[in-house]
Amino acid sequence: MKYYILFGPPGAGKGTQAGAIAEKFNLKHVSTGELLRAEIAAGTELGQQAKTLIEAGNLVPDSVVEGMIENLFNTLKGVDGFLLDGFPRTLGQAEDLDKMLSARGEKVDAVISLMISDSTIRERLKGRAAIEGRADDANEETISNRIATYHQKTEPLINFYKAAGKYHELNGDGKSIEEVRALVFDLLNQL
Ligand code: ATP
Ligand code: MG
């Protein structure tokens, strides 16, 4: 099995690109953000706890997303691998992912990072709020907190995966969805 991580700040286009990548390379696309939004929509206990955190622009606890991920690794069959979108998002999650995979005799194959500037993040999230109506895109304060949380908690993963020789970065600023998709396909074909 292949394990790819689609990495990047909020609004980088992970969710936008993931479907096409997963289809072309026969991977299962797993978005922790989407899984959490489904829990919220279903009104589960987990969803209710996650809602408050997400709408303030904070992360949910590592144990919550790790539980969801492990569950999928255990149940999914018939794919060549996984495309993880929005996970891992903290060093703790990255370390636990390595443990989870090594226990199965597997490893992270590569990290594909879609990089955009903070000003592009703001533009895109505001644009998306108007289209998708996500509560965590609608409010300036929440957006600022998500950007700060990204720099504080998630950005350190770049060095973690660079040290492992697995980090590949593509710059998404000023590029169309199709241009970014072509770059990701090229990269995955070369790996
Ligand atoms: P993109 O637009 O690039 O797809 P995003 O950051 O806008 O990404 P999601 O990945 O959908 O959005 O995440 C939405 C929210 O869900 C996060 O702000 C966070 O609160 C929560 N969340 C998602 N994944 C994790 C995770 N791995 N750990 C903790 N919280 C998470
Ligand atoms: Mg997303």
Side-chain angles (χ1 to χ4, degrees), residues 8-15 31-34 36-37 53-54 57-62 65 85-89 93 125 128 134 136-137 146:
K14 301 183 291 286
S31 160
T32 42
E34 276 174 26
L36 290 166
R37 284 188 288 279
L53 291 164
I54 290 175
N58 293 319
L59 298 179
V60 307
D62 288 352
V65 284
D85 157 9
F87 179 88
R89 236 176 171 102
Q93 289 176 20
L125 296 187
R128 188 166 73 183
R134 267 172 58 175
D136 60 339
D137 288 342
R146 286 167 68 194

PDB file of all heavy atoms in Angstrom, residues 8-15 31-34 36-37 53-54 57-62 65 85-89 93 125 128 134 136-137 146, ligand 1:
ATOM      1  N   GLY A   8      -0.576  21.178   3.368  1.00  0.00           N
ATOM      2  CA  GLY A   8      -0.654  22.583   2.982  1.00  0.00           C
ATOM      3  C   GLY A   8      -1.534  23.364   3.936  1.00  0.00           C
ATOM      4  O   GLY A   8      -2.335  22.783   4.664  1.00  0.00           O
ATOM      5  N   PRO A   9      -1.403  24.686   3.937  1.00  0.00           N
ATOM      6  CA  PRO A   9      -2.209  25.514   4.810  1.00  0.00           C
ATOM      7  C   PRO A   9      -3.694  25.467   4.428  1.00  0.00           C
ATOM      8  O   PRO A   9      -4.031  24.967   3.348  1.00  0.00           O
ATOM      9  CB  PRO A   9      -1.650  26.927   4.592  1.00  0.00           C
ATOM     10  CG  PRO A   9      -0.922  26.869   3.306  1.00  0.00           C
ATOM     11  CD  PRO A   9      -0.455  25.461   3.132  1.00  0.00           C
ATOM     12  N   PRO A  10      -4.590  25.988   5.301  1.00  0.00           N
ATOM     13  CA  PRO A  10      -6.001  26.029   4.955  1.00  0.00           C
ATOM     14  C   PRO A  10      -6.201  26.756   3.626  1.00  0.00           C
ATOM     15  O   PRO A  10      -5.569  27.777   3.379  1.00  0.00           O
ATOM     16  CB  PRO A  10      -6.657  26.827   6.093  1.00  0.00           C
ATOM     17  CG  PRO A  10      -5.616  27.091   7.104  1.00  0.00           C
ATOM     18  CD  PRO A  10      -4.309  26.581   6.614  1.00  0.00           C
ATOM     19  N   GLY A  11      -7.069  26.227   2.789  1.00  0.00           N
ATOM     20  CA  GLY A  11      -7.352  26.890   1.524  1.00  0.00           C
ATOM     21  C   GLY A  11      -6.318  26.636   0.445  1.00  0.00           C
ATOM     22  O   GLY A  11      -6.411  27.187  -0.652  1.00  0.00           O
ATOM     23  N   ALA A  12      -5.351  25.770   0.697  1.00  0.00           N
ATOM     24  CA  ALA A  12      -4.293  25.508  -0.291  1.00  0.00           C
ATOM     25  C   ALA A  12      -4.829  24.763  -1.507  1.00  0.00           C
ATOM     26  O   ALA A  12      -4.183  24.744  -2.548  1.00  0.00           O
ATOM     27  CB  ALA A  12      -3.157  24.712   0.338  1.00  0.00           C
ATOM     28  N   GLY A  13      -6.006  24.134  -1.332  1.00  0.00           N
ATOM     29  CA  GLY A  13      -6.581  23.389  -2.452  1.00  0.00           C
ATOM     30  C   GLY A  13      -6.414  21.891  -2.303  1.00  0.00           C
ATOM     31  O   GLY A  13      -6.533  21.156  -3.287  1.00  0.00           O
ATOM     32  N   LYS A  14      -6.197  21.437  -1.087  1.00  0.00           N
ATOM     33  CA  LYS A  14      -6.034  20.008  -0.854  1.00  0.00           C
ATOM     34  C   LYS A  14      -7.309  19.265  -1.277  1.00  0.00           C
ATOM     35  O   LYS A  14      -7.253  18.324  -2.055  1.00  0.00           O
ATOM     36  CB  LYS A  14      -5.728  19.732   0.620  1.00  0.00           C
ATOM     37  CG  LYS A  14      -4.459  20.436   1.118  1.00  0.00           C
ATOM     38  CD  LYS A  14      -4.139  20.084   2.564  1.00  0.00           C
ATOM     39  CE  LYS A  14      -5.122  20.634   3.582  1.00  0.00           C
ATOM     40  NZ  LYS A  14      -5.021  22.079   3.845  1.00  0.00           N
ATOM     41  N   GLY A  15      -8.431  19.712  -0.736  1.00  0.00           N
ATOM     42  CA  GLY A  15      -9.709  19.065  -1.044  1.00  0.00           C
ATOM     43  C   GLY A  15     -10.043  19.143  -2.531  1.00  0.00           C
ATOM     44  O   GLY A  15     -10.597  18.206  -3.105  1.00  0.00           O
ATOM     45  N   SER A  31     -10.164  12.735   4.059  1.00  0.00           N
ATOM     46  CA  SER A  31     -10.066  14.101   4.580  1.00  0.00           C
ATOM     47  C   SER A  31     -10.602  14.138   6.001  1.00  0.00           C
ATOM     48  O   SER A  31     -11.792  13.888   6.226  1.00  0.00           O
ATOM     49  CB  SER A  31     -10.873  15.058   3.696  1.00  0.00           C
ATOM     50  OG  SER A  31     -11.166  16.256   4.398  1.00  0.00           O
ATOM     51  N   THR A  32      -9.724  14.441   6.963  1.00  0.00           N
ATOM     52  CA  THR A  32     -10.201  14.499   8.349  1.00  0.00           C
ATOM     53  C   THR A  32     -11.193  15.647   8.523  1.00  0.00           C
ATOM     54  O   THR A  32     -12.150  15.522   9.296  1.00  0.00           O
ATOM     55  CB  THR A  32      -9.034  14.643   9.343  1.00  0.00           C
ATOM     56  OG1 THR A  32      -8.089  15.578   8.824  1.00  0.00           O
ATOM     57  CG2 THR A  32      -8.350  13.321   9.584  1.00  0.00           C
ATOM     58  N   GLY A  33     -11.002  16.750   7.780  1.00  0.00           N
ATOM     59  CA  GLY A  33     -11.960  17.862   7.847  1.00  0.00           C
ATOM     60  C   GLY A  33     -13.353  17.413   7.409  1.00  0.00           C
ATOM     61  O   GLY A  33     -14.351  17.695   8.080  1.00  0.00           O
ATOM     62  N   GLU A  34     -13.423  16.665   6.300  1.00  0.00           N
ATOM     63  CA  GLU A  34     -14.724  16.177   5.821  1.00  0.00           C
ATOM     64  C   GLU A  34     -15.331  15.175   6.792  1.00  0.00           C
ATOM     65  O   GLU A  34     -16.540  15.179   7.020  1.00  0.00           O
ATOM     66  CB  GLU A  34     -14.570  15.498   4.447  1.00  0.00           C
ATOM     67  CG  GLU A  34     -14.604  16.484   3.293  1.00  0.00           C
ATOM     68  CD  GLU A  34     -14.300  15.814   1.953  1.00  0.00           C
ATOM     69  OE1 GLU A  34     -14.533  14.588   1.809  1.00  0.00           O
ATOM     70  OE2 GLU A  34     -13.809  16.533   1.058  1.00  0.00           O
ATOM     71  N   LEU A  36     -14.914  15.085   9.964  1.00  0.00           N
ATOM     72  CA  LEU A  36     -15.406  15.832  11.129  1.00  0.00           C
ATOM     73  C   LEU A  36     -16.697  16.586  10.790  1.00  0.00           C
ATOM     74  O   LEU A  36     -17.638  16.610  11.586  1.00  0.00           O
ATOM     75  CB  LEU A  36     -14.337  16.812  11.634  1.00  0.00           C
ATOM     76  CG  LEU A  36     -13.120  16.152  12.296  1.00  0.00           C
ATOM     77  CD1 LEU A  36     -11.969  17.153  12.452  1.00  0.00           C
ATOM     78  CD2 LEU A  36     -13.495  15.566  13.656  1.00  0.00           C
ATOM     79  N   ARG A  37     -16.747  17.178   9.586  1.00  0.00           N
ATOM     80  CA  ARG A  37     -17.980  17.878   9.197  1.00  0.00           C
ATOM     81  C   ARG A  37     -19.157  16.907   9.080  1.00  0.00           C
ATOM     82  O   ARG A  37     -20.299  17.259   9.383  1.00  0.00           O
ATOM     83  CB  ARG A  37     -17.770  18.667   7.896  1.00  0.00           C
ATOM     84  CG  ARG A  37     -16.954  19.957   8.139  1.00  0.00           C
ATOM     85  CD  ARG A  37     -16.898  20.853   6.913  1.00  0.00           C
ATOM     86  NE  ARG A  37     -16.046  20.335   5.853  1.00  0.00           N
ATOM     87  CZ  ARG A  37     -14.710  20.454   5.819  1.00  0.00           C
ATOM     88  NH1 ARG A  37     -14.068  21.073   6.794  1.00  0.00           N
ATOM     89  NH2 ARG A  37     -14.021  19.958   4.823  1.00  0.00           N
ATOM     90  N   LEU A  53     -14.690  23.678  18.536  1.00  0.00           N
ATOM     91  CA  LEU A  53     -13.262  23.868  18.261  1.00  0.00           C
ATOM     92  C   LEU A  53     -13.047  24.341  16.827  1.00  0.00           C
ATOM     93  O   LEU A  53     -12.299  25.289  16.573  1.00  0.00           O
ATOM     94  CB  LEU A  53     -12.510  22.544  18.493  1.00  0.00           C
ATOM     95  CG  LEU A  53     -12.431  22.084  19.947  1.00  0.00           C
ATOM     96  CD1 LEU A  53     -12.026  20.622  20.043  1.00  0.00           C
ATOM     97  CD2 LEU A  53     -11.441  22.969  20.710  1.00  0.00           C
ATOM     98  N   ILE A  54     -13.700  23.688  15.886  1.00  0.00           N
ATOM     99  CA  ILE A  54     -13.516  24.006  14.470  1.00  0.00           C
ATOM    100  C   ILE A  54     -13.988  25.431  14.176  1.00  0.00           C
ATOM    101  O   ILE A  54     -13.309  26.184  13.477  1.00  0.00           O
ATOM    102  CB  ILE A  54     -14.270  22.976  13.591  1.00  0.00           C
ATOM    103  CG1 ILE A  54     -13.571  21.619  13.678  1.00  0.00           C
ATOM    104  CG2 ILE A  54     -14.354  23.447  12.143  1.00  0.00           C
ATOM    105  CD1 ILE A  54     -14.284  20.492  12.952  1.00  0.00           C
ATOM    106  N   GLY A  57     -11.593  27.965  14.942  1.00  0.00           N
ATOM    107  CA  GLY A  57     -10.332  27.898  14.199  1.00  0.00           C
ATOM    108  C   GLY A  57      -9.263  27.093  14.909  1.00  0.00           C
ATOM    109  O   GLY A  57      -8.086  27.189  14.579  1.00  0.00           O
ATOM    110  N   ASN A  58      -9.678  26.299  15.889  1.00  0.00           N
ATOM    111  CA  ASN A  58      -8.722  25.454  16.617  1.00  0.00           C
ATOM    112  C   ASN A  58      -8.726  24.031  16.059  1.00  0.00           C
ATOM    113  O   ASN A  58      -9.647  23.634  15.355  1.00  0.00           O
ATOM    114  CB  ASN A  58      -9.094  25.410  18.108  1.00  0.00           C
ATOM    115  CG  ASN A  58      -8.910  26.760  18.762  1.00  0.00           C
ATOM    116  OD1 ASN A  58      -7.934  27.462  18.490  1.00  0.00           O
ATOM    117  ND2 ASN A  58      -9.854  27.148  19.607  1.00  0.00           N
ATOM    118  N   LEU A  59      -7.699  23.266  16.423  1.00  0.00           N
ATOM    119  CA  LEU A  59      -7.647  21.860  16.036  1.00  0.00           C
ATOM    120  C   LEU A  59      -8.441  21.028  17.024  1.00  0.00           C
ATOM    121  O   LEU A  59      -8.578  21.403  18.194  1.00  0.00           O
ATOM    122  CB  LEU A  59      -6.185  21.375  16.018  1.00  0.00           C
ATOM    123  CG  LEU A  59      -5.252  22.063  15.030  1.00  0.00           C
ATOM    124  CD1 LEU A  59      -3.838  21.496  15.152  1.00  0.00           C
ATOM    125  CD2 LEU A  59      -5.757  21.932  13.597  1.00  0.00           C
ATOM    126  N   VAL A  60      -8.948  19.894  16.583  1.00  0.00           N
ATOM    127  CA  VAL A  60      -9.547  18.937  17.504  1.00  0.00           C
ATOM    128  C   VAL A  60      -8.403  18.089  18.083  1.00  0.00           C
ATOM    129  O   VAL A  60      -7.307  18.070  17.519  1.00  0.00           O
ATOM    130  CB  VAL A  60     -10.623  18.061  16.822  1.00  0.00           C
ATOM    131  CG1 VAL A  60     -11.668  18.914  16.117  1.00  0.00           C
ATOM    132  CG2 VAL A  60     -10.001  17.101  15.827  1.00  0.00           C
ATOM    133  N   PRO A  61      -8.642  17.394  19.212  1.00  0.00           N
ATOM    134  CA  PRO A  61      -7.548  16.628  19.827  1.00  0.00           C
ATOM    135  C   PRO A  61      -6.974  15.560  18.892  1.00  0.00           C
ATOM    136  O   PRO A  61      -7.711  14.953  18.109  1.00  0.00           O
ATOM    137  CB  PRO A  61      -8.218  15.972  21.036  1.00  0.00           C
ATOM    138  CG  PRO A  61      -9.404  16.817  21.332  1.00  0.00           C
ATOM    139  CD  PRO A  61      -9.875  17.355  20.008  1.00  0.00           C
ATOM    140  N   ASP A  62      -5.659  15.330  18.994  1.00  0.00           N
ATOM    141  CA  ASP A  62      -4.978  14.329  18.168  1.00  0.00           C
ATOM    142  C   ASP A  62      -5.686  12.976  18.236  1.00  0.00           C
ATOM    143  O   ASP A  62      -5.879  12.314  17.218  1.00  0.00           O
ATOM    144  CB  ASP A  62      -3.521  14.135  18.641  1.00  0.00           C
ATOM    145  CG  ASP A  62      -2.623  15.331  18.290  1.00  0.00           C
ATOM    146  OD1 ASP A  62      -3.093  16.232  17.551  1.00  0.00           O
ATOM    147  OD2 ASP A  62      -1.464  15.358  18.758  1.00  0.00           O
ATOM    148  N   VAL A  65      -8.772  12.522  15.757  1.00  0.00           N
ATOM    149  CA  VAL A  65      -8.510  12.285  14.326  1.00  0.00           C
ATOM    150  C   VAL A  65      -7.732  10.982  14.128  1.00  0.00           C
ATOM    151  O   VAL A  65      -7.954  10.262  13.163  1.00  0.00           O
ATOM    152  CB  VAL A  65      -7.776  13.471  13.655  1.00  0.00           C
ATOM    153  CG1 VAL A  65      -8.745  14.608  13.401  1.00  0.00           C
ATOM    154  CG2 VAL A  65      -6.594  13.938  14.441  1.00  0.00           C
ATOM    155  N   ASP A  85      -5.531  13.838   3.565  1.00  0.00           N
ATOM    156  CA  ASP A  85      -5.756  15.269   3.334  1.00  0.00           C
ATOM    157  C   ASP A  85      -6.164  15.893   4.663  1.00  0.00           C
ATOM    158  O   ASP A  85      -7.198  15.534   5.219  1.00  0.00           O
ATOM    159  CB  ASP A  85      -6.837  15.394   2.244  1.00  0.00           C
ATOM    160  CG  ASP A  85      -7.604  16.709   2.242  1.00  0.00           C
ATOM    161  OD1 ASP A  85      -7.232  17.649   2.959  1.00  0.00           O
ATOM    162  OD2 ASP A  85      -8.599  16.782   1.493  1.00  0.00           O
ATOM    163  N   GLY A  86      -5.307  16.767   5.192  1.00  0.00           N
ATOM    164  CA  GLY A  86      -5.627  17.406   6.469  1.00  0.00           C
ATOM    165  C   GLY A  86      -5.131  16.610   7.664  1.00  0.00           C
ATOM    166  O   GLY A  86      -5.409  16.961   8.811  1.00  0.00           O
ATOM    167  N   PHE A  87      -4.406  15.561   7.423  1.00  0.00           N
ATOM    168  CA  PHE A  87      -3.819  14.727   8.477  1.00  0.00           C
ATOM    169  C   PHE A  87      -2.477  14.206   7.979  1.00  0.00           C
ATOM    170  O   PHE A  87      -2.400  13.767   6.830  1.00  0.00           O
ATOM    171  CB  PHE A  87      -4.727  13.542   8.805  1.00  0.00           C
ATOM    172  CG  PHE A  87      -4.149  12.627   9.867  1.00  0.00           C
ATOM    173  CD1 PHE A  87      -4.374  12.870  11.213  1.00  0.00           C
ATOM    174  CD2 PHE A  87      -3.348  11.538   9.507  1.00  0.00           C
ATOM    175  CE1 PHE A  87      -3.821  12.038  12.178  1.00  0.00           C
ATOM    176  CE2 PHE A  87      -2.787  10.721  10.478  1.00  0.00           C
ATOM    177  CZ  PHE A  87      -3.033  10.975  11.814  1.00  0.00           C
ATOM    178  N   PRO A  88      -1.415  14.247   8.757  1.00  0.00           N
ATOM    179  CA  PRO A  88      -1.305  14.801  10.104  1.00  0.00           C
ATOM    180  C   PRO A  88      -1.190  16.330  10.087  1.00  0.00           C
ATOM    181  O   PRO A  88      -0.769  16.909   9.099  1.00  0.00           O
ATOM    182  CB  PRO A  88      -0.013  14.173  10.628  1.00  0.00           C
ATOM    183  CG  PRO A  88       0.815  13.917   9.421  1.00  0.00           C
ATOM    184  CD  PRO A  88      -0.150  13.611   8.315  1.00  0.00           C
ATOM    185  N   ARG A  89      -1.581  16.937  11.190  1.00  0.00           N
ATOM    186  CA  ARG A  89      -1.579  18.382  11.305  1.00  0.00           C
ATOM    187  C   ARG A  89      -0.796  18.869  12.517  1.00  0.00           C
ATOM    188  O   ARG A  89      -0.703  20.067  12.748  1.00  0.00           O
ATOM    189  CB  ARG A  89      -3.024  18.836  11.469  1.00  0.00           C
ATOM    190  CG  ARG A  89      -3.512  19.845  10.458  1.00  0.00           C
ATOM    191  CD  ARG A  89      -4.985  20.058  10.753  1.00  0.00           C
ATOM    192  NE  ARG A  89      -5.553  21.124  10.029  1.00  0.00           N
ATOM    193  CZ  ARG A  89      -6.330  20.974   8.938  1.00  0.00           C
ATOM    194  NH1 ARG A  89      -6.562  19.792   8.439  1.00  0.00           N
ATOM    195  NH2 ARG A  89      -6.858  22.026   8.383  1.00  0.00           N
ATOM    196  N   GLN A  93       0.661  13.997  15.779  1.00  0.00           N
ATOM    197  CA  GLN A  93      -0.069  13.170  14.801  1.00  0.00           C
ATOM    198  C   GLN A  93       0.904  12.506  13.822  1.00  0.00           C
ATOM    199  O   GLN A  93       0.721  11.346  13.442  1.00  0.00           O
ATOM    200  CB  GLN A  93      -1.080  14.022  14.023  1.00  0.00           C
ATOM    201  CG  GLN A  93      -2.278  14.471  14.860  1.00  0.00           C
ATOM    202  CD  GLN A  93      -3.232  15.396  14.096  1.00  0.00           C
ATOM    203  OE1 GLN A  93      -3.249  15.439  12.876  1.00  0.00           O
ATOM    204  NE2 GLN A  93      -4.031  16.146  14.853  1.00  0.00           N
ATOM    205  N   LEU A 125     -10.253  31.646   1.382  1.00  0.00           N
ATOM    206  CA  LEU A 125     -11.239  31.241   2.386  1.00  0.00           C
ATOM    207  C   LEU A 125     -12.456  32.163   2.327  1.00  0.00           C
ATOM    208  O   LEU A 125     -13.592  31.701   2.472  1.00  0.00           O
ATOM    209  CB  LEU A 125     -10.634  31.218   3.796  1.00  0.00           C
ATOM    210  CG  LEU A 125      -9.510  30.193   4.023  1.00  0.00           C
ATOM    211  CD1 LEU A 125      -9.112  30.157   5.487  1.00  0.00           C
ATOM    212  CD2 LEU A 125      -9.895  28.789   3.564  1.00  0.00           C
ATOM    213  N   ARG A 128     -14.468  31.091  -0.624  1.00  0.00           N
ATOM    214  CA  ARG A 128     -15.141  29.823  -0.376  1.00  0.00           C
ATOM    215  C   ARG A 128     -16.330  29.994   0.571  1.00  0.00           C
ATOM    216  O   ARG A 128     -17.337  29.300   0.437  1.00  0.00           O
ATOM    217  CB  ARG A 128     -14.126  28.828   0.213  1.00  0.00           C
ATOM    218  CG  ARG A 128     -14.658  27.424   0.331  1.00  0.00           C
ATOM    219  CD  ARG A 128     -13.549  26.428   0.585  1.00  0.00           C
ATOM    220  NE  ARG A 128     -13.020  26.534   1.952  1.00  0.00           N
ATOM    221  CZ  ARG A 128     -12.007  25.812   2.410  1.00  0.00           C
ATOM    222  NH1 ARG A 128     -11.403  24.953   1.609  1.00  0.00           N
ATOM    223  NH2 ARG A 128     -11.586  25.945   3.646  1.00  0.00           N
ATOM    224  N   ARG A 134     -19.191  27.421   4.795  1.00  0.00           N
ATOM    225  CA  ARG A 134     -18.595  26.804   5.981  1.00  0.00           C
ATOM    226  C   ARG A 134     -18.402  27.850   7.072  1.00  0.00           C
ATOM    227  O   ARG A 134     -17.809  28.895   6.833  1.00  0.00           O
ATOM    228  CB  ARG A 134     -17.233  26.195   5.623  1.00  0.00           C
ATOM    229  CG  ARG A 134     -17.334  24.733   5.254  1.00  0.00           C
ATOM    230  CD  ARG A 134     -16.038  24.220   4.718  1.00  0.00           C
ATOM    231  NE  ARG A 134     -14.906  24.382   5.645  1.00  0.00           N
ATOM    232  CZ  ARG A 134     -13.697  23.912   5.401  1.00  0.00           C
ATOM    233  NH1 ARG A 134     -13.461  23.260   4.286  1.00  0.00           N
ATOM    234  NH2 ARG A 134     -12.728  24.100   6.272  1.00  0.00           N
ATOM    235  N   ASP A 136     -16.426  27.991   9.480  1.00  0.00           N
ATOM    236  CA  ASP A 136     -15.034  28.326   9.830  1.00  0.00           C
ATOM    237  C   ASP A 136     -14.349  29.156   8.746  1.00  0.00           C
ATOM    238  O   ASP A 136     -13.198  29.556   8.893  1.00  0.00           O
ATOM    239  CB  ASP A 136     -14.221  27.072  10.176  1.00  0.00           C
ATOM    240  CG  ASP A 136     -14.135  26.061   9.034  1.00  0.00           C
ATOM    241  OD1 ASP A 136     -14.981  26.092   8.116  1.00  0.00           O
ATOM    242  OD2 ASP A 136     -13.209  25.231   9.069  1.00  0.00           O
ATOM    243  N   ASP A 137     -15.040  29.414   7.627  1.00  0.00           N
ATOM    244  CA  ASP A 137     -14.492  30.302   6.593  1.00  0.00           C
ATOM    245  C   ASP A 137     -15.087  31.712   6.701  1.00  0.00           C
ATOM    246  O   ASP A 137     -14.582  32.650   6.086  1.00  0.00           O
ATOM    247  CB  ASP A 137     -14.835  29.774   5.185  1.00  0.00           C
ATOM    248  CG  ASP A 137     -14.048  28.510   4.808  1.00  0.00           C
ATOM    249  OD1 ASP A 137     -13.022  28.232   5.460  1.00  0.00           O
ATOM    250  OD2 ASP A 137     -14.477  27.837   3.864  1.00  0.00           O
ATOM    251  N   ARG A 146      -6.957  30.217  12.362  1.00  0.00           N
ATOM    252  CA  ARG A 146      -6.548  29.026  11.593  1.00  0.00           C
ATOM    253  C   ARG A 146      -5.167  29.236  10.983  1.00  0.00           C
ATOM    254  O   ARG A 146      -4.364  28.298  10.938  1.00  0.00           O
ATOM    255  CB  ARG A 146      -7.580  28.724  10.504  1.00  0.00           C
ATOM    256  CG  ARG A 146      -8.841  28.128  11.081  1.00  0.00           C
ATOM    257  CD  ARG A 146      -9.962  28.127  10.096  1.00  0.00           C
ATOM    258  NE  ARG A 146      -9.748  27.223   8.971  1.00  0.00           N
ATOM    259  CZ  ARG A 146     -10.478  27.264   7.863  1.00  0.00           C
ATOM    260  NH1 ARG A 146     -11.438  28.164   7.718  1.00  0.00           N
ATOM    261  NH2 ARG A 146     -10.236  26.400   6.909  1.00  0.00           N
TER     262      ARG A 146
HETATM  263  P1  ATP B   1      -8.260  22.823   2.560  1.00  0.00           P
HETATM  264  O1  ATP B   1      -9.038  23.997   2.185  1.00  0.00           O
HETATM  265  O2  ATP B   1      -6.835  22.903   2.051  1.00  0.00           O
HETATM  266  O3  ATP B   1      -8.906  21.551   2.120  1.00  0.00           O
HETATM  267  P2  ATP B   1      -8.908  23.412   5.406  1.00  0.00           P
HETATM  268  O4  ATP B   1      -7.868  23.684   6.447  1.00  0.00           O
HETATM  269  O5  ATP B   1      -9.721  24.552   4.953  1.00  0.00           O
HETATM  270  O6  ATP B   1      -8.171  22.706   4.192  1.00  0.00           O
HETATM  271  P3  ATP B   1     -10.109  21.031   6.635  1.00  0.00           P
HETATM  272  O7  ATP B   1      -8.897  20.225   6.381  1.00  0.00           O
HETATM  273  O8  ATP B   1     -11.364  20.590   6.043  1.00  0.00           O
HETATM  274  O9  ATP B   1      -9.987  22.521   6.060  1.00  0.00           O
HETATM  275  O10 ATP B   1     -10.231  21.180   8.237  1.00  0.00           O
HETATM  276  C1  ATP B   1     -11.250  21.931   8.857  1.00  0.00           C
HETATM  277  C2  ATP B   1     -11.057  21.940  10.378  1.00  0.00           C
HETATM  278  O11 ATP B   1     -11.197  20.612  10.910  1.00  0.00           O
HETATM  279  C3  ATP B   1      -9.686  22.398  10.874  1.00  0.00           C
HETATM  280  O12 ATP B   1      -9.569  23.806  10.954  1.00  0.00           O
HETATM  281  C4  ATP B   1      -9.605  21.707  12.263  1.00  0.00           C
HETATM  282  O13 ATP B   1     -10.347  22.400  13.220  1.00  0.00           O
HETATM  283  C5  ATP B   1     -10.297  20.373  12.012  1.00  0.00           C
HETATM  284  N1  ATP B   1      -9.307  19.322  11.641  1.00  0.00           N
HETATM  285  C6  ATP B   1      -9.182  18.749  10.406  1.00  0.00           C
HETATM  286  N2  ATP B   1      -8.171  17.873  10.391  1.00  0.00           N
HETATM  287  C7  ATP B   1      -7.607  17.893  11.635  1.00  0.00           C
HETATM  288  C8  ATP B   1      -6.506  17.231  12.249  1.00  0.00           C
HETATM  289  N3  ATP B   1      -5.733  16.362  11.579  1.00  0.00           N
HETATM  290  N4  ATP B   1      -6.213  17.512  13.554  1.00  0.00           N
HETATM  291  C9  ATP B   1      -6.950  18.370  14.232  1.00  0.00           C
HETATM  292  N5  ATP B   1      -8.014  19.048  13.723  1.00  0.00           N
HETATM  293  C10 ATP B   1      -8.341  18.829  12.442  1.00  0.00           C
END
